[in-house]
Amino acid sequence: HVYYTPSFGVQLAARRLLAMVDRAVPTTGTVPTGATTGAPPPLVLWASRRLAKTRHVVNEQTVWGELARLGHRVHVHDGTGSLSDQIRWFNNAQIVVGPHGAGMTLIMFSKQTTAVMMFPLASEVVHHDGYYHHVASSVGIQHFVALPLFALNRNKNVTFNRTHVDGIVGFVEQHFNTSGGNGWQKEL
């Protein structure tokens, strides 16, 4: 049996840290490639594990390119920014996409209207009660998906095929073109 922090604890921590970040002076820390300080908030935030040993999407640049070709701005979060910058990026993102990993914990700072697509571990697909499901639910994220199509092996990297890329692009397109984002899963 797994114990997760009570929802009110996640909510309280997120609110307090967001308040601290809002009062903080902007940092001059490292900004990941593709990001610029003072730019409008990113629309699609890709939580990359490119610096990790496992669960890295080897061809993630293919997905970024496809999204950019369709006119979407993609900001890549790889954990190298300051904590306050990372909190801001997640809080400003309209859509967050990425594999199961520590970076996805920052969805606790996302707005309730942020759409989140996480590539789950195979064990989470079976139980639908993983840690990130709990975090999303705790902060009231209204649209969180972790589809079996994207299931990851905990100890391996993954290369997405055309079906995976189309599924991610479809998720992003659906959430920019509708208010509810329902129905796209039936197409996968």
Side-chain angles (χ1 to χ4, degrees), residues 55-180:
R55 296 187 309 279
H56 169 71
V57 179
V58 176
N59 62 332
E60 61 188 4
Q61 291 180 343
T62 301
V63 180
W64 306 341
E66 189 73 16
L67 291 170
R69 186 181 68 73
L70 294 170
H72 299 293
R73 284 184 304 163
V74 178
H75 178 87
V76 179
H77 165 264
D78 61 9
T80 58
S82 70
L83 179 59
S84 61
D85 285 344
Q86 292 178 60
I87 290 171
R88 283 185 187 105
W89 293 329
F90 275 83
N91 187 252
N92 289 329
Q94 289 176 294
I95 296 176
V96 175
V97 179
H100 179 285
M104 289 297 277
T105 301
L106 294 171
I107 64 172
M108 71 186 285
F109 301 107
S110 296
K111 293 177 176 72
Q112 292 179 342
T113 56
T114 301
V116 179
M117 176 186 233
M118 186 197 68
F119 314 139
L121 295 178
S123 60
E124 288 180 314
V125 170
V126 173
H127 302 291
H128 297 288
D129 64 352
Y131 172 73
Y132 301 102
H133 292 84
H134 173 73
V135 172
S137 175
S138 294
V139 297
I141 290 176
Q142 298 165 6
H143 197 77
F144 176 89
V145 296
L147 299 174
L149 174 66
F150 297 95
L152 304 173
N153 179 312
R154 178 179 292 281
N155 299 314
K156 294 185 178 178
N157 294 324
V158 64
T159 300
F160 282 160
N161 63 31
R162 188 76 237 167
T163 301
H164 294 109
V165 174
D166 290 346
I168 295 164
V169 170
F171 177 83
V172 170
E173 288 281 287
Q174 186 70 29
H175 284 85
F176 278 122
N177 294 327
T178 68
S179 58

